[in-house]
Amino acid sequence: MNNRNYSPIDRALIGMDQTLRTLFGRPAVTERVNPGKQLPEVELTDEERLHIGRLMRVNHTGEVCAQALYQGQALTARDHSVRERLERSAQEENDHLAWCEERMQELGARKSLLNPLWYAGSFAMGTAAGIAGDKWSLGFVVETERQVEDHLDAHIAQVPADDHRTRAVLDQMKLDEAHHAQVAKGAGGAELPEPVKLAMRAVSKVMTRGAYWI
């Protein structure tokens, strides 16, 4: 991780660049390769291709939201080590963003037209969590990743067993989400109140349904 101390203006410009990359460009990924890249393509029916493409669009939108959350949280983090953890997790989520986009292109699917809207809302939520304090911000990460794990399980169950390219991406994403939750919890993440968890699930349902169709 770069130890340079950035000024508020530097961070604002970096944040703008990340936003544009997330929504319209190519995200800055880590050294990892797409886990499904070398696996054979499977013969899918038109219905399967359409459905899986839409599922991956939902996952792509989820990763857009994850970028916005992490960026908002990193911007308002008080502790430097917490900010570094959030930034590393955001880099790994960029991998997911790129992998989902690659699989969507292979399946002939497009990005959600609502991504800018979801990005703005998620950034606001991440910023608010960061302002509340690092323990709550990290707790927000823990709960978000737990919910994403459940969401990925539901998608994996809908993917044909022989579609190894899609399943490899989703499986690795699930492993990463669990790791991010563990890191955030180990760094002092607090357990969120139940009403907050329920509200997060409600927002997630609206996002997933909207991204599936639009």
Side-chain angles (χ1 to χ4, degrees):
M1 185 65 65
N2 193 333
N3 292 320
R4 177 182 171 186
N5 292 319
Y6 292 105
S7 70
I9 294 177
D10 288 335
R11 290 197 172 278
L13 291 173
I14 291 171
M16 290 175 60
D17 178 70
Q18 290 172 332
T19 298
L20 293 173
R21 285 176 178 271
T22 297
L23 292 174
F24 308 112
R26 297 196 62 81
V29 298
T30 70
E31 68 284 351
R32 300 186 301 172
V33 297
N34 186 326
K37 194 73 172 178
Q38 302 303 320
L39 297 175
E41 185 62 89
V42 65
E43 191 70 32
L44 297 169
T45 66
D46 290 343
E47 277 191 7
E48 288 174 329
R49 183 173 292 274
L50 178 63
H51 179 57
I52 298 169
R54 285 176 171 173
L55 292 181
M56 295 309 291
R57 180 164 69 217
V58 170
N59 290 314
H60 181 271
T61 295
E63 296 304 328
V64 168
C65 292
Q67 281 302 307
L69 285 169
Y70 277 120
Q71 288 167 19
Q73 289 171 290
L75 184 67
T76 52
R78 291 167 171 77
D79 186 88
H80 182 69
S81 64
V82 169
R83 181 180 293 115
E84 284 194 334
R85 288 186 178 93
L86 291 169
E87 288 174 345
R88 175 59 191 184
S89 292
Q91 279 189 310
E92 293 177 356
E93 297 286 355
N94 260 344
D95 291 347
H96 301 174
L97 193 66
W99 299 343
C100 286
E101 184 171 352
E102 286 178 28
R103 189 60 183 142
M104 280 195 303
Q105 290 173 347
E106 292 169 353
L107 294 166
R110 58 165 173 76
K111 299 178 184 179
S112 172
L113 301 177
L114 300 177
N115 279 348
L117 174 65
W118 294 121
Y119 184 95
S122 297
F123 184 84
M125 291 171 62
T127 301
I131 291 172
D134 286 346
K135 71 174 184 177
W136 297 113
S137 184
L138 291 168
F140 195 84
V141 171
V142 174
E143 182 59 28
T144 297
E145 302 296 25
R146 286 174 179 166
Q147 293 188 17
V148 171
E149 283 186 74
D150 293 340
H151 160 86
L152 288 171
D153 276 335
H155 279 197
I156 291 169
Q158 298 177 60
V159 175
D162 56 350
D163 184 1
H164 301 298
R165 289 173 78 92
T166 300
R167 295 178 76 92
V169 170
L170 298 181
D171 286 340
Q172 185 59 54
M173 286 171 62
K174 184 182 173 184
L175 288 173
D176 290 345
E177 308 301 358
H179 173 66
H180 295 162
Q182 290 173 353
V183 169
K185 187 173 182 179
E191 189 74 18
L192 298 184
E194 197 61 31
V196 175
K197 295 180 183 180
L198 292 174
M200 291 170 66
R201 289 189 182 278
V203 172
S204 177
K205 285 182 180 179
V206 173
M207 183 276 289
T208 54
R209 289 174 183 172
Y212 185 87
W213 294 106
I214 302 174

Short mmCIF file of all heavy atoms in Angstrom, two decimals, residues 60-125:
data_model
loop_
_atom_site.label_atom_id
_atom_site.label_comp_id
_atom_site.label_asym_id
_atom_site.label_seq_id
_atom_site.Cartn_x
_atom_site.Cartn_y
_atom_site.Cartn_z
N HIS A 60 -22.58 -7.31 -11.16
CA HIS A 60 -21.77 -6.16 -11.57
C HIS A 60 -22.26 -4.90 -10.88
O HIS A 60 -21.45 -4.12 -10.35
CB HIS A 60 -21.85 -6.00 -13.10
CG HIS A 60 -21.04 -4.85 -13.63
ND1 HIS A 60 -21.57 -3.58 -13.74
CD2 HIS A 60 -19.76 -4.78 -14.07
CE1 HIS A 60 -20.64 -2.77 -14.23
NE2 HIS A 60 -19.55 -3.47 -14.44
N THR A 61 -23.57 -4.70 -10.84
CA THR A 61 -24.12 -3.54 -10.15
C THR A 61 -23.79 -3.59 -8.67
O THR A 61 -23.49 -2.55 -8.05
CB THR A 61 -25.64 -3.47 -10.36
OG1 THR A 61 -25.92 -3.24 -11.74
CG2 THR A 61 -26.26 -2.34 -9.54
N GLY A 62 -23.83 -4.79 -8.09
CA GLY A 62 -23.44 -4.93 -6.69
C GLY A 62 -22.02 -4.50 -6.45
O GLY A 62 -21.70 -3.88 -5.42
N GLU A 63 -21.14 -4.78 -7.40
CA GLU A 63 -19.74 -4.37 -7.26
C GLU A 63 -19.57 -2.86 -7.47
O GLU A 63 -18.70 -2.24 -6.88
CB GLU A 63 -18.87 -5.15 -8.24
CG GLU A 63 -18.83 -6.64 -7.99
CD GLU A 63 -18.39 -6.99 -6.57
OE1 GLU A 63 -17.56 -6.24 -6.00
OE2 GLU A 63 -18.87 -7.99 -6.03
N VAL A 64 -20.41 -2.27 -8.32
CA VAL A 64 -20.42 -0.81 -8.45
C VAL A 64 -20.78 -0.19 -7.11
O VAL A 64 -20.15 0.77 -6.65
CB VAL A 64 -21.43 -0.37 -9.54
CG1 VAL A 64 -21.66 1.15 -9.48
CG2 VAL A 64 -20.92 -0.76 -10.93
N CYS A 65 -21.81 -0.77 -6.47
CA CYS A 65 -22.23 -0.28 -5.15
C CYS A 65 -21.12 -0.48 -4.12
O CYS A 65 -20.89 0.40 -3.27
CB CYS A 65 -23.49 -1.02 -4.69
SG CYS A 65 -24.97 -0.65 -5.66
N ALA A 66 -20.42 -1.62 -4.20
CA ALA A 66 -19.34 -1.89 -3.26
C ALA A 66 -18.23 -0.85 -3.39
O ALA A 66 -17.69 -0.37 -2.39
CB ALA A 66 -18.78 -3.30 -3.49
N GLN A 67 -17.89 -0.50 -4.64
CA GLN A 67 -16.87 0.53 -4.86
C GLN A 67 -17.29 1.85 -4.22
O GLN A 67 -16.50 2.52 -3.55
CB GLN A 67 -16.63 0.73 -6.34
CG GLN A 67 -15.76 -0.31 -7.00
CD GLN A 67 -14.40 -0.40 -6.35
OE1 GLN A 67 -13.70 0.60 -6.21
NE2 GLN A 67 -14.00 -1.59 -5.95
N ALA A 68 -18.55 2.22 -4.43
CA ALA A 68 -19.05 3.47 -3.87
C ALA A 68 -19.03 3.45 -2.35
O ALA A 68 -18.65 4.44 -1.71
CB ALA A 68 -20.46 3.74 -4.39
N LEU A 69 -19.45 2.34 -1.77
CA LEU A 69 -19.44 2.20 -0.31
C LEU A 69 -18.03 2.35 0.24
O LEU A 69 -17.78 3.14 1.17
CB LEU A 69 -20.01 0.84 0.10
CG LEU A 69 -21.52 0.66 -0.01
CD1 LEU A 69 -21.89 -0.81 0.16
CD2 LEU A 69 -22.25 1.50 1.03
N TYR A 70 -17.09 1.60 -0.32
CA TYR A 70 -15.71 1.64 0.16
C TYR A 70 -15.10 3.02 -0.03
O TYR A 70 -14.35 3.50 0.82
CB TYR A 70 -14.87 0.59 -0.55
CG TYR A 70 -14.98 -0.79 0.05
CD1 TYR A 70 -15.45 -1.87 -0.69
CD2 TYR A 70 -14.59 -1.03 1.37
CE1 TYR A 70 -15.54 -3.14 -0.14
CE2 TYR A 70 -14.69 -2.30 1.93
CZ TYR A 70 -15.16 -3.35 1.17
OH TYR A 70 -15.25 -4.60 1.72
N GLN A 71 -15.40 3.66 -1.14
CA GLN A 71 -14.82 4.98 -1.39
C GLN A 71 -15.37 6.01 -0.41
O GLN A 71 -14.63 6.86 0.10
CB GLN A 71 -15.09 5.39 -2.84
CG GLN A 71 -14.24 4.61 -3.83
CD GLN A 71 -14.69 4.75 -5.27
OE1 GLN A 71 -15.41 5.69 -5.60
NE2 GLN A 71 -14.30 3.82 -6.13
N GLY A 72 -16.67 5.93 -0.13
CA GLY A 72 -17.26 6.83 0.85
C GLY A 72 -16.71 6.59 2.24
O GLY A 72 -16.42 7.53 2.99
N GLN A 73 -16.53 5.31 2.59
CA GLN A 73 -16.00 4.97 3.90
C GLN A 73 -14.53 5.37 4.04
O GLN A 73 -14.12 5.89 5.08
CB GLN A 73 -16.17 3.48 4.15
CG GLN A 73 -17.62 3.06 4.38
CD GLN A 73 -17.78 1.55 4.41
OE1 GLN A 73 -17.63 0.87 3.40
NE2 GLN A 73 -18.07 1.02 5.59
N ALA A 74 -13.73 5.12 3.02
CA ALA A 74 -12.31 5.48 3.07
C ALA A 74 -12.14 6.99 3.17
O ALA A 74 -11.24 7.49 3.86
CB ALA A 74 -11.58 4.95 1.84
N LEU A 75 -13.02 7.72 2.50
CA LEU A 75 -12.94 9.19 2.51
C LEU A 75 -13.15 9.75 3.91
O LEU A 75 -12.54 10.75 4.29
CB LEU A 75 -13.99 9.76 1.56
CG LEU A 75 -14.01 11.28 1.38
CD1 LEU A 75 -12.75 11.74 0.67
CD2 LEU A 75 -15.24 11.71 0.59
N THR A 76 -14.00 9.07 4.71
CA THR A 76 -14.35 9.60 6.03
C THR A 76 -13.73 8.81 7.18
O THR A 76 -14.02 9.09 8.35
CB THR A 76 -15.89 9.61 6.20
OG1 THR A 76 -16.41 8.31 5.88
CG2 THR A 76 -16.53 10.64 5.28
N ALA A 77 -12.88 7.82 6.86
CA ALA A 77 -12.24 7.03 7.92
C ALA A 77 -11.33 7.91 8.76
O ALA A 77 -10.62 8.77 8.24
CB ALA A 77 -11.46 5.87 7.31
N ARG A 78 -11.33 7.67 10.07
CA ARG A 78 -10.50 8.46 10.97
C ARG A 78 -9.10 7.88 11.11
O ARG A 78 -8.12 8.60 11.19
CB ARG A 78 -11.17 8.55 12.35
CG ARG A 78 -12.45 9.37 12.35
CD ARG A 78 -13.22 9.15 13.64
NE ARG A 78 -14.35 10.07 13.79
CZ ARG A 78 -15.50 9.94 13.16
NH1 ARG A 78 -15.68 8.94 12.32
NH2 ARG A 78 -16.48 10.81 13.35
N ASP A 79 -9.02 6.56 11.17
CA ASP A 79 -7.75 5.88 11.41
C ASP A 79 -7.10 5.51 10.09
O ASP A 79 -7.75 4.95 9.19
CB ASP A 79 -7.98 4.63 12.26
CG ASP A 79 -6.68 3.96 12.65
OD1 ASP A 79 -6.10 4.33 13.70
OD2 ASP A 79 -6.24 3.06 11.90
N HIS A 80 -5.80 5.77 9.96
CA HIS A 80 -5.09 5.50 8.71
C HIS A 80 -5.09 4.02 8.36
O HIS A 80 -5.25 3.64 7.19
CB HIS A 80 -3.65 6.00 8.80
CG HIS A 80 -2.85 5.81 7.56
ND1 HIS A 80 -3.08 6.51 6.40
CD2 HIS A 80 -1.82 4.95 7.28
CE1 HIS A 80 -2.24 6.12 5.46
NE2 HIS A 80 -1.46 5.18 5.96
N SER A 81 -4.93 3.15 9.36
CA SER A 81 -4.90 1.71 9.09
C SER A 81 -6.26 1.21 8.61
O SER A 81 -6.35 0.31 7.77
CB SER A 81 -4.47 0.94 10.34
OG SER A 81 -5.41 1.10 11.39
N VAL A 82 -7.33 1.79 9.15
CA VAL A 82 -8.68 1.44 8.69
C VAL A 82 -8.85 1.85 7.23
O VAL A 82 -9.37 1.09 6.41
CB VAL A 82 -9.75 2.11 9.57
CG1 VAL A 82 -11.14 1.96 8.95
CG2 VAL A 82 -9.73 1.50 10.97
N ARG A 83 -8.38 3.06 6.90
CA ARG A 83 -8.48 3.53 5.51
C ARG A 83 -7.72 2.59 4.58
O ARG A 83 -8.19 2.26 3.49
CB ARG A 83 -7.91 4.95 5.40
CG ARG A 83 -8.01 5.51 3.98
CD ARG A 83 -7.45 6.92 3.88
NE ARG A 83 -8.27 7.85 4.62
CZ ARG A 83 -7.88 8.52 5.68
NH1 ARG A 83 -6.64 8.35 6.16
NH2 ARG A 83 -8.68 9.35 6.29
N GLU A 84 -6.54 2.13 4.98
CA GLU A 84 -5.75 1.23 4.14
C GLU A 84 -6.47 -0.09 3.92
O GLU A 84 -6.45 -0.64 2.80
CB GLU A 84 -4.38 0.99 4.78
CG GLU A 84 -3.40 2.15 4.62
CD GLU A 84 -1.98 1.74 4.94
OE1 GLU A 84 -1.80 0.77 5.72
OE2 GLU A 84 -1.06 2.37 4.41
N ARG A 85 -7.10 -0.62 4.98
CA ARG A 85 -7.84 -1.88 4.83
C ARG A 85 -9.00 -1.71 3.85
O ARG A 85 -9.26 -2.56 3.01
CB ARG A 85 -8.36 -2.34 6.19
CG ARG A 85 -7.30 -2.88 7.13
CD ARG A 85 -7.93 -3.46 8.39
NE ARG A 85 -6.94 -4.03 9.29
CZ ARG A 85 -6.36 -3.37 10.28
NH1 ARG A 85 -6.69 -2.11 10.50
NH2 ARG A 85 -5.47 -3.96 11.05
N LEU A 86 -9.70 -0.60 3.99
CA LEU A 86 -10.83 -0.33 3.10
C LEU A 86 -10.37 -0.18 1.65
O LEU A 86 -11.02 -0.68 0.72
CB LEU A 86 -11.56 0.94 3.55
CG LEU A 86 -12.32 0.85 4.88
CD1 LEU A 86 -12.75 2.24 5.34
CD2 LEU A 86 -13.52 -0.08 4.76
N GLU A 87 -9.25 0.48 1.45
CA GLU A 87 -8.74 0.70 0.09
C GLU A 87 -8.28 -0.60 -0.55
O GLU A 87 -8.48 -0.82 -1.75
CB GLU A 87 -7.61 1.73 0.12
CG GLU A 87 -8.12 3.15 0.39
CD GLU A 87 -7.00 4.17 0.57
OE1 GLU A 87 -5.83 3.74 0.78
OE2 GLU A 87 -7.28 5.38 0.51
N ARG A 88 -7.65 -1.50 0.25
CA ARG A 88 -7.24 -2.80 -0.30
C ARG A 88 -8.46 -3.64 -0.67
O ARG A 88 -8.51 -4.26 -1.73
CB ARG A 88 -6.36 -3.55 0.71
CG ARG A 88 -6.00 -4.97 0.27
CD ARG A 88 -5.24 -4.99 -1.05
NE ARG A 88 -5.13 -6.36 -1.59
CZ ARG A 88 -4.47 -6.67 -2.68
NH1 ARG A 88 -3.85 -5.73 -3.37
NH2 ARG A 88 -4.41 -7.92 -3.11
N SER A 89 -9.46 -3.64 0.20
CA SER A 89 -10.69 -4.38 -0.10
C SER A 89 -11.35 -3.82 -1.36
O SER A 89 -11.86 -4.58 -2.19
CB SER A 89 -11.66 -4.31 1.09
OG SER A 89 -11.15 -5.02 2.20
N ALA A 90 -11.32 -2.49 -1.50
CA ALA A 90 -11.90 -1.87 -2.69
C ALA A 90 -11.15 -2.31 -3.95
O ALA A 90 -11.77 -2.54 -5.00
CB ALA A 90 -11.86 -0.35 -2.57
N GLN A 91 -9.84 -2.45 -3.87
CA GLN A 91 -9.06 -2.93 -5.02
C GLN A 91 -9.50 -4.34 -5.41
O GLN A 91 -9.65 -4.64 -6.60
CB GLN A 91 -7.58 -2.94 -4.68
CG GLN A 91 -6.89 -1.59 -4.80
CD GLN A 91 -5.39 -1.73 -4.66
OE1 GLN A 91 -4.89 -2.36 -3.72
NE2 GLN A 91 -4.65 -1.16 -5.58
N GLU A 92 -9.69 -5.19 -4.43
CA GLU A 92 -10.11 -6.56 -4.72
C GLU A 92 -11.53 -6.60 -5.26
O GLU A 92 -11.86 -7.45 -6.10
CB GLU A 92 -9.96 -7.43 -3.46
CG GLU A 92 -8.49 -7.62 -3.07
CD GLU A 92 -8.30 -8.40 -1.79
OE1 GLU A 92 -9.32 -8.75 -1.15
OE2 GLU A 92 -7.15 -8.67 -1.42
N GLU A 93 -12.38 -5.69 -4.80
CA GLU A 93 -13.73 -5.60 -5.35
C GLU A 93 -13.67 -5.13 -6.80
O GLU A 93 -14.55 -5.47 -7.61
CB GLU A 93 -14.58 -4.63 -4.51
CG GLU A 93 -14.82 -5.05 -3.07
CD GLU A 93 -15.81 -6.19 -2.91
OE1 GLU A 93 -16.41 -6.60 -3.93
OE2 GLU A 93 -15.99 -6.67 -1.78
N ASN A 94 -12.66 -4.34 -7.15
CA ASN A 94 -12.47 -3.96 -8.55
C ASN A 94 -12.23 -5.17 -9.43
O ASN A 94 -12.65 -5.21 -10.59
CB ASN A 94 -11.28 -2.99 -8.68
CG ASN A 94 -11.72 -1.54 -8.77
OD1 ASN A 94 -12.88 -1.25 -9.04
ND2 ASN A 94 -10.79 -0.63 -8.57
N ASP A 95 -11.52 -6.17 -8.89
CA ASP A 95 -11.35 -7.42 -9.62
C ASP A 95 -12.71 -8.01 -9.96
O ASP A 95 -12.97 -8.43 -11.10
CB ASP A 95 -10.56 -8.44 -8.79
CG ASP A 95 -9.10 -8.05 -8.60
OD1 ASP A 95 -8.63 -7.14 -9.30
OD2 ASP A 95 -8.43 -8.68 -7.75
N HIS A 96 -13.59 -8.04 -8.96
CA HIS A 96 -14.94 -8.58 -9.17
C HIS A 96 -15.67 -7.80 -10.26
O HIS A 96 -16.37 -8.37 -11.10
CB HIS A 96 -15.75 -8.51 -7.88
CG HIS A 96 -15.15 -9.26 -6.74
ND1 HIS A 96 -15.68 -9.22 -5.47
CD2 HIS A 96 -14.08 -10.09 -6.67
CE1 HIS A 96 -14.95 -9.98 -4.67
NE2 HIS A 96 -13.97 -10.51 -5.37
N LEU A 97 -15.52 -6.49 -10.20
CA LEU A 97 -16.18 -5.62 -11.18
C LEU A 97 -15.72 -5.98 -12.59
O LEU A 97 -16.54 -6.12 -13.51
CB LEU A 97 -15.83 -4.16 -10.86
CG LEU A 97 -16.64 -3.06 -11.54
CD1 LEU A 97 -18.09 -3.09 -11.10
CD2 LEU A 97 -16.02 -1.70 -11.24
N ALA A 98 -14.41 -6.15 -12.77
CA ALA A 98 -13.86 -6.48 -14.08
C ALA A 98 -14.29 -7.88 -14.51
O ALA A 98 -14.64 -8.11 -15.68
CB ALA A 98 -12.34 -6.38 -14.05
N TRP A 99 -14.25 -8.86 -13.59
CA TRP A 99 -14.62 -10.23 -13.92
C TRP A 99 -16.09 -10.32 -14.34
O TRP A 99 -16.43 -11.01 -15.30
CB TRP A 99 -14.37 -11.16 -12.74
CG TRP A 99 -12.95 -11.24 -12.30
CD1 TRP A 99 -11.84 -10.84 -13.00
CD2 TRP A 99 -12.46 -11.72 -11.04
NE1 TRP A 99 -10.70 -11.05 -12.26
CE2 TRP A 99 -11.04 -11.59 -11.06
CE3 TRP A 99 -13.07 -12.25 -9.90
CZ2 TRP A 99 -10.25 -11.98 -9.98
CZ3 TRP A 99 -12.29 -12.63 -8.81
CH2 TRP A 99 -10.89 -12.51 -8.86
N CYS A 100 -16.95 -9.62 -13.61
CA CYS A 100 -18.38 -9.64 -13.94
C CYS A 100 -18.61 -9.02 -15.32
O CYS A 100 -19.41 -9.54 -16.12
CB CYS A 100 -19.18 -8.88 -12.89
SG CYS A 100 -19.38 -9.75 -11.32
N GLU A 101 -17.91 -7.93 -15.60
CA GLU A 101 -18.08 -7.28 -16.90
C GLU A 101 -17.60 -8.19 -18.03
O GLU A 101 -18.24 -8.28 -19.09
CB GLU A 101 -17.32 -5.95 -16.94
CG GLU A 101 -17.54 -5.18 -18.23
CD GLU A 101 -16.97 -3.78 -18.20
OE1 GLU A 101 -16.54 -3.32 -17.12
OE2 GLU A 101 -16.97 -3.13 -19.27
N GLU A 102 -16.48 -8.88 -17.83
CA GLU A 102 -15.98 -9.81 -18.85
C GLU A 102 -16.99 -10.92 -19.11
O GLU A 102 -17.26 -11.26 -20.27
CB GLU A 102 -14.66 -10.42 -18.38
CG GLU A 102 -13.48 -9.47 -18.46
CD GLU A 102 -12.20 -10.11 -17.94
OE1 GLU A 102 -12.08 -11.35 -18.02
OE2 GLU A 102 -11.32 -9.37 -17.44
N ARG A 103 -17.57 -11.46 -18.04
CA ARG A 103 -18.54 -12.55 -18.23
C ARG A 103 -19.81 -12.04 -18.89
O ARG A 103 -20.39 -12.72 -19.74
CB ARG A 103 -18.87 -13.21 -16.89
CG ARG A 103 -19.69 -14.50 -17.03
CD ARG A 103 -18.96 -15.52 -17.86
NE ARG A 103 -19.74 -16.75 -18.08
CZ ARG A 103 -19.74 -17.42 -19.21
NH1 ARG A 103 -19.01 -17.01 -20.24
NH2 ARG A 103 -20.46 -18.52 -19.34
N MET A 104 -20.23 -10.83 -18.55
CA MET A 104 -21.40 -10.24 -19.20
C MET A 104 -21.17 -10.09 -20.70
O MET A 104 -22.06 -10.40 -21.51
CB MET A 104 -21.71 -8.86 -18.60
CG MET A 104 -22.46 -8.89 -17.28
SD MET A 104 -23.15 -7.27 -16.86
CE MET A 104 -21.70 -6.24 -16.87
N GLN A 105 -20.00 -9.63 -21.07
CA GLN A 105 -19.69 -9.46 -22.49
C GLN A 105 -19.72 -10.79 -23.22
O GLN A 105 -20.22 -10.89 -24.34
CB GLN A 105 -18.32 -8.79 -22.63
CG GLN A 105 -18.31 -7.34 -22.19
CD GLN A 105 -16.90 -6.73 -22.19
OE1 GLN A 105 -15.91 -7.44 -22.29
NE2 GLN A 105 -16.83 -5.41 -22.06
N GLU A 106 -19.21 -11.83 -22.57
CA GLU A 106 -19.23 -13.17 -23.17
C GLU A 106 -20.65 -13.68 -23.37
O GLU A 106 -20.93 -14.41 -24.32
CB GLU A 106 -18.45 -14.15 -22.29
CG GLU A 106 -16.95 -13.87 -22.25
CD GLU A 106 -16.22 -14.67 -21.18
OE1 GLU A 106 -16.89 -15.35 -20.37
OE2 GLU A 106 -14.98 -14.63 -21.15
N LEU A 107 -21.55 -13.26 -22.48
CA LEU A 107 -22.93 -13.73 -22.54
C LEU A 107 -23.83 -12.79 -23.34
O LEU A 107 -25.01 -13.06 -23.53
CB LEU A 107 -23.49 -13.87 -21.12
CG LEU A 107 -22.84 -14.96 -20.26
CD1 LEU A 107 -23.22 -14.79 -18.80
CD2 LEU A 107 -23.25 -16.35 -20.76
N GLY A 108 -23.26 -11.68 -23.80
CA GLY A 108 -24.04 -10.72 -24.58
C GLY A 108 -24.92 -9.82 -23.74
O GLY A 108 -25.92 -9.29 -24.24
N ALA A 109 -24.59 -9.65 -22.45
CA ALA A 109 -25.38 -8.80 -21.56
C ALA A 109 -24.75 -7.42 -21.46
O ALA A 109 -23.56 -7.25 -21.71
CB ALA A 109 -25.49 -9.44 -20.18
N ARG A 110 -25.55 -6.44 -21.08
CA ARG A 110 -25.07 -5.07 -20.91
C ARG A 110 -25.08 -4.69 -19.43
O ARG A 110 -25.67 -5.37 -18.60
CB ARG A 110 -25.96 -4.10 -21.68
CG ARG A 110 -27.41 -4.17 -21.25
CD ARG A 110 -28.22 -2.97 -21.72
NE ARG A 110 -29.63 -3.14 -21.44
CZ ARG A 110 -30.17 -2.98 -20.23
NH1 ARG A 110 -29.42 -2.67 -19.19
NH2 ARG A 110 -31.48 -3.15 -20.05
N LYS A 111 -24.43 -3.57 -19.12
CA LYS A 111 -24.45 -3.04 -17.76
C LYS A 111 -25.83 -2.47 -17.45
O LYS A 111 -26.58 -2.10 -18.35
CB LYS A 111 -23.41 -1.93 -17.60
CG LYS A 111 -21.97 -2.35 -17.83
CD LYS A 111 -21.06 -1.15 -17.68
CE LYS A 111 -19.62 -1.48 -18.00
NZ LYS A 111 -18.73 -0.30 -17.87
N SER A 112 -26.14 -2.36 -16.17
CA SER A 112 -27.39 -1.74 -15.76
C SER A 112 -27.36 -0.26 -16.07
O SER A 112 -26.37 0.44 -15.80
CB SER A 112 -27.62 -1.95 -14.26
OG SER A 112 -28.74 -1.19 -13.82
N LEU A 113 -28.46 0.25 -16.60
CA LEU A 113 -28.58 1.67 -16.90
C LEU A 113 -28.70 2.51 -15.62
O LEU A 113 -28.53 3.73 -15.65
CB LEU A 113 -29.80 1.93 -17.79
CG LEU A 113 -29.80 1.19 -19.14
CD1 LEU A 113 -31.09 1.47 -19.89
CD2 LEU A 113 -28.59 1.58 -19.98
N LEU A 114 -29.00 1.84 -14.50
CA LEU A 114 -29.20 2.55 -13.24
C LEU A 114 -27.93 2.65 -12.39
O LEU A 114 -27.97 3.14 -11.26
CB LEU A 114 -30.29 1.84 -12.42
CG LEU A 114 -31.67 1.76 -13.07
CD1 LEU A 114 -32.62 0.97 -12.18
CD2 LEU A 114 -32.23 3.14 -13.34
N ASN A 115 -26.80 2.19 -12.92
CA ASN A 115 -25.57 2.18 -12.12
C ASN A 115 -25.19 3.53 -11.52
O ASN A 115 -24.80 3.60 -10.35
CB ASN A 115 -24.40 1.63 -12.95
CG ASN A 115 -24.40 0.11 -12.99
OD1 ASN A 115 -25.12 -0.55 -12.25
ND2 ASN A 115 -23.59 -0.45 -13.87
N PRO A 116 -25.30 4.65 -12.27
CA PRO A 116 -24.96 5.93 -11.65
C PRO A 116 -25.83 6.25 -10.44
O PRO A 116 -25.35 6.80 -9.44
CB PRO A 116 -25.19 6.94 -12.79
CG PRO A 116 -24.97 6.14 -14.03
CD PRO A 116 -25.54 4.78 -13.72
N LEU A 117 -27.10 5.89 -10.51
CA LEU A 117 -28.01 6.12 -9.39
C LEU A 117 -27.60 5.29 -8.18
O LEU A 117 -27.54 5.80 -7.05
CB LEU A 117 -29.44 5.76 -9.80
CG LEU A 117 -30.50 5.82 -8.70
CD1 LEU A 117 -30.66 7.25 -8.20
CD2 LEU A 117 -31.83 5.29 -9.22
N TRP A 118 -27.32 4.01 -8.41
CA TRP A 118 -26.92 3.13 -7.30
C TRP A 118 -25.58 3.55 -6.73
O TRP A 118 -25.35 3.44 -5.52
CB TRP A 118 -26.87 1.68 -7.78
CG TRP A 118 -28.20 1.13 -8.17
CD1 TRP A 118 -28.56 0.62 -9.38
CD2 TRP A 118 -29.37 1.05 -7.34
NE1 TRP A 118 -29.87 0.24 -9.36
CE2 TRP A 118 -30.39 0.49 -8.13
CE3 TRP A 118 -29.64 1.40 -6.02
CZ2 TRP A 118 -31.67 0.27 -7.62
CZ3 TRP A 118 -30.92 1.19 -5.51
CH2 TRP A 118 -31.91 0.62 -6.31
N TYR A 119 -24.69 4.02 -7.59
CA TYR A 119 -23.39 4.49 -7.11
C TYR A 119 -23.57 5.67 -6.16
O TYR A 119 -22.98 5.70 -5.07
CB TYR A 119 -22.49 4.88 -8.28
CG TYR A 119 -21.10 5.28 -7.84
CD1 TYR A 119 -20.06 4.36 -7.85
CD2 TYR A 119 -20.83 6.57 -7.39
CE1 TYR A 119 -18.79 4.71 -7.41
CE2 TYR A 119 -19.58 6.93 -6.96
CZ TYR A 119 -18.55 6.00 -6.97
OH TYR A 119 -17.32 6.36 -6.53
N ALA A 120 -24.37 6.64 -6.57
CA ALA A 120 -24.57 7.83 -5.75
C ALA A 120 -25.17 7.48 -4.39
O ALA A 120 -24.72 7.97 -3.35
CB ALA A 120 -25.49 8.83 -6.49
N GLY A 121 -26.18 6.61 -4.39
CA GLY A 121 -26.81 6.22 -3.14
C GLY A 121 -25.86 5.46 -2.24
O GLY A 121 -25.82 5.69 -1.02
N SER A 122 -25.07 4.57 -2.81
CA SER A 122 -24.13 3.77 -2.02
C SER A 122 -23.00 4.63 -1.47
O SER A 122 -22.54 4.42 -0.35
CB SER A 122 -23.56 2.64 -2.88
OG SER A 122 -24.58 1.76 -3.29
N PHE A 123 -22.55 5.59 -2.26
CA PHE A 123 -21.50 6.50 -1.78
C PHE A 123 -22.00 7.29 -0.57
O PHE A 123 -21.26 7.47 0.41
CB PHE A 123 -21.06 7.45 -2.89
CG PHE A 123 -19.93 8.35 -2.51
CD1 PHE A 123 -18.62 7.92 -2.60
CD2 PHE A 123 -20.18 9.64 -2.05
CE1 PHE A 123 -17.57 8.75 -2.24
CE2 PHE A 123 -19.14 10.48 -1.68
CZ PHE A 123 -17.83 10.04 -1.78
N ALA A 124 -23.24 7.74 -0.64
CA ALA A 124 -23.82 8.48 0.48
C ALA A 124 -23.91 7.59 1.72
O ALA A 124 -23.60 8.05 2.84
CB ALA A 124 -25.21 9.00 0.10
N MET A 125 -24.30 6.33 1.54
CA MET A 125 -24.38 5.41 2.67
C MET A 125 -23.00 5.14 3.26
O MET A 125 -22.82 5.11 4.48
CB MET A 125 -25.03 4.10 2.22
CG MET A 125 -26.49 4.22 1.87
SD MET A 125 -27.15 2.72 1.09
CE MET A 125 -26.93 1.53 2.40
#
